[in-house]
Amino acid sequence: MVFQGGLAIGSAIWGLTAEHFGNSAALSGAAIGLVVGLIAALPYRLIAGEKLDLTPSLHWPEPVVAIELNLEEGPVLITIEYRIDPARSHDFAEAMHALSRVRRRDGAIRWSLWKDTALPNRYLETYVVESWAEHLRQHERMTVADLGEEARVRAFHIGDKPPLVSHLIYAHDTHGVR
């Protein structure tokens, strides 16, 4: 949407520039803008793709399902409960926000991290995907390169058991109205 809006607004601006100052001025201004943009982008280089292992990790277990689900049902809320040493909560939150980019890239439409007011070592990660099928595709999208972000987060978890994962699907009423 930003690019489409930029194209529409840019077209109007360059059209007005061409109308008032001529085509040469408008094209020269656009060329100068491109050069300035390229120079401004230099500090923000992309990570080289050949160094990342983008093969699917397929390490997530299949979700436990006790009810019949249609693949198009949704949205789906995934919650992951972590137990964290409160002294390391700031570092944990930073690691979680890095993992949130992976979650969003892989299909989450909403992501958040919650801390329990009664239990200072309990944190709840929540994210929402549009459908059950989309969540199952998330299992396939997690790459070997993403394992590092997930392992960094899991290293903060304390206790004998792994973080508790729950899958909740939106409960539609009998009339089909949300």
Side-chain angles (χ1 to χ4, degrees), residues 23 30 80 96 111 142 162:
N23 290 343
I80 306 173
M96 286 301 300
W111 180 92
M142 183 64 95

Side-chain angles (χ1 to χ4, degrees), residues 1 7 13 20 79 83 96 98 109 116-117 141 151 153 168:
M1 288 175 44
L7 283 171
I13 289 171
H20 286 80
T79 66
R83 299 295 176 150
M96 286 301 300
I109 55 175
D116 194 326
T117 59
R141 288 187 190 118
V153 164
L168 297 101

Side-chain angles (χ1 to χ4, degrees), residues 3 5 11 19 32 37 54 62 93 97 122 134 141 151 160 169-170 175:
F3 288 119
S11 296
E19 185 177 317
I32 291 169
L54 301 179
E62 286 296 315
H97 285 284
R122 181 175 179 255
E134 184 65 20
R141 288 187 190 118
D160 299 334
I169 196 146
Y170 184 79
H175 298 93

Side-chain angles (χ1 to χ4, degrees), residues 110-126:
R110 216 170 317 139
W111 180 92
S112 55
L113 180 64
W114 303 83
K115 108 174 129 173
D116 194 326
T117 59
L119 298 170
N121 72 336
R122 181 175 179 255
Y123 282 78
L124 190 67
E125 175 190 12
T126 66

Side-chain angles (χ1 to χ4, degrees), residues 25-168:
L27 291 173
S28 296
I32 291 169
L34 284 171
V35 170
V36 168
L38 285 171
I39 292 169
L42 286 176
Y44 305 102
R45 294 192 178 272
L46 294 175
I47 297 172
E50 62 273 356
K51 294 181 184 176
L52 297 175
D53 186 353
L54 301 179
T55 57
S57 66
L58 302 174
H59 73 284
W60 282 358
E62 286 296 315
V64 176
V65 179
I67 58 175
E68 183 81 23
L69 287 175
N70 177 340
L71 289 176
E72 297 309 312
E73 279 190 76
V76 179
L77 171 67
I78 296 90
T79 66
I80 306 173
E81 181 180 320
Y82 299 92
R83 299 295 176 150
I84 306 301
D85 177 0
R88 300 182 68 202
S89 62
H90 178 74
D91 295 332
F92 172 71
E94 283 182 6
M96 286 301 300
H97 285 284
L99 182 61
S100 77
R101 288 188 288 277
V102 173
R103 302 277 197 239
R104 288 184 176 116
R105 182 206 64 212
D106 288 350
I109 55 175
R110 216 170 317 139
W111 180 92
S112 55
L113 180 64
W114 303 83
K115 108 174 129 173
D116 194 326
T117 59
L119 298 170
N121 72 336
R122 181 175 179 255
Y123 282 78
L124 190 67
E125 175 190 12
T126 66
Y127 59 98
V128 176
V129 293
E130 289 189 15
S131 68
W132 186 249
E134 184 65 20
H135 178 60
L136 293 178
R137 284 192 285 271
Q138 275 187 311
H139 284 241
E140 299 168 3
R141 288 187 190 118
M142 183 64 95
T143 68
V144 172
D146 298 331
L147 285 175
E149 292 292 341
E150 193 172 86
R152 183 173 164 225
V153 164
R154 297 280 170 117
F156 287 96
H157 182 73
I158 55 178
D160 299 334
K161 297 180 181 177
L164 179 63
V165 179
S166 299
H167 298 83
L168 297 101

